Amino acid sequence: MVKYQGKGVYGAVAVGKVSVFKRQDVQVKRFKIDHVEGEIVRLAAAKKKAIEQLQDIYDKALKEVGEANAQIFEIHMMMIEDDDYNDAIVEMINGQSVNAEYAVAVTADNFAEMFASMDDSYMQARAADIRDISNRIIACMTDSEGNHSVSDEKVIICADDLAPSETVSLDKDKVLAFVTAHGSSNSHTAILARNMNIAAIIGVGEEFLGRIKEGDMAVADGYTGEFFLNPDAVTLAAYEKKQKEEVEKKALLQNLKGKENVTQDGRKINIYANIGSVANIGEVLLNDAGGIGLFRSEFLYLENNDYPTEEEQFKVYKRVLESMATKKVIIRTLDIGADKQADYFNLEKEENPALGLRAIRLCLTRPEIFKTQLRALYRASVYGRLGIMFPMITSVSELEEILALCEQVKSELDTDNIEYSDSIELGIMIETPAAAIISDKLAPMVDFFSVGTNDLTQYTLACDRQNPQIERFCDTHHEAIFRLIEMSVENAHRHGAWIGICGELAADISLTETFLRMGIDELSVSPSFVLKVRDKVRKIDLSK
Ligand code: PEP
Ligand code: MG
């Protein structure tokens, strides 16, 4: 067995035989021509044929991946007609009296290089598109089609890279996965693979191409980006199990997608998803979550070697909000410290870090870091429905200090004439016993509560959540925790605030009915649990 690590661009698991993508490599030679006009006529005929082919591919893509994704082929048709591109080719034919194929190939290289050298990763990925259309025109001139035919068996397609048109032209019903040596996650190939619901891994590196043989067994894990060539029995069995679970999940998805989170007797709740990065949004949408109930923004800090700037943060928050469109997005402010450490914060070593300078305590101690994040959040708020949530609250005075800082940020943005939404919801996490006990005082100050059962359990039961030795003392179903949650629900509702749960307990379906009976309004869980919880909610009858 050999394992390769790439980047998963569509989360699905595939187990099967590999098929090496064959492309008829057209060798373009340069030769002198006598009749320049004749060459330009040949070029025009090839372009016409290429456009006809692209129209067919567009029609296929329209059916398989929808209009938005099929658009790339309309763009390809337009690129073929692009004046700059055509002028460059014709100038070369005229100026150097060379054959049209050669002029197209050289122009393609020049344009692709120009795109590849741009700073913007989206523009860089356009280099593949220019090569794709140029190869098509050349193939039309040389009458080589170069289409890869797939055997009757479903296979894992392995290639150096795949052009968008090659991806769509493959018979989707015969492809288990796409695995490429190169490629970027912004490429249209990656986008198309995602929309074709086919496991896809890119960038596993050049070496794998030299090793794979037609018909080798392989496993492609589009979630983790792992590719196992000739897997051993243990790996194979583990992945066959994972695949079976996926099939069950897909069936559940088909059944429950688009359905309401409503009990038999008509009680509705929101089921949102927890994420740690923009990369998780695909999963959130795929699993039909009603919103994002917890975006752990600290990962943005943990993934960096230095404080993320306001601009960097703004871009991330904007992207999450835009992607979720009209759905609610609750972004939790920095919860660093304790088990989540970043060197550049230069935090002193503490005896009891879980009881130390973490989360909101750190933000209030170093307000410049906090204000940078708040500015980025407020600026991004105009791009969607934002909720801002503060972690590790224990007192009214902390919350007063936070709200004062929010007002300060707003007035600074006003001075700078920078827009922000006036309907941002502000909320706090209930993850310390203190917060639950004084929830009657905290509730009137906020729009919502979200119970962090992971920390609430740790702090209520005095059980370090990191310590496996005491796991048996750490009863997540302890009555004390339920009493604190119940108390928080009553106080939230009495003061017009809504309340959700975003700790791991939210996904525990043995408790869903208990939470609904308490009056919980929202459960926020890992994306892959959304439909399981929906399923559970729909089976509950609170009237019984
Ligand atoms: C929690 O404490 O329950 C929670 C959701 O926050 P985290 O797990 O990130 O501490
Ligand atoms: Mg917590």
Side-chain angles (χ1 to χ4, degrees), residues 332 335 358 429 431 455 465:
R332 175 174 76 183
D335 181 7
R358 69 168 279 205
M429 292 199 63
E431 53 183 348
D455 277 314
R465 63 192 265 194

Side-chain angles (χ1 to χ4, degrees), residues 463-474:
C463 275
D464 180 354
R465 63 192 265 194
Q466 300 289 102
N467 185 348
Q469 285 185 79
I470 51 162
E471 217 169 287
R472 78 184 174 95
F473 302 103
C474 189

Side-chain angles (χ1 to χ4, degrees), residues 310 367-381 388 390 401-420 424 426:
E310 178 184 320
E368 69 290 354
I369 299 176
F370 192 33
K371 275 179 70 182
T372 303
Q373 181 170 37
L374 288 175
R375 267 182 75 97
L377 285 165
Y378 272 86
R379 280 176 55 200
S381 64
I388 305 177
F390 306 103
E401 218 176 307
I402 294 166
L403 298 177
L405 279 169
C406 290
E407 287 307 312
Q408 233 183 68
V409 165
K410 276 162 59 178
S411 77
E412 283 170 19
L413 291 173
D414 287 339
T415 313
D416 297 343
N417 252 327
I418 297 174
E419 262 190 310
Y420 56 88
I424 302 172
L426 296 182

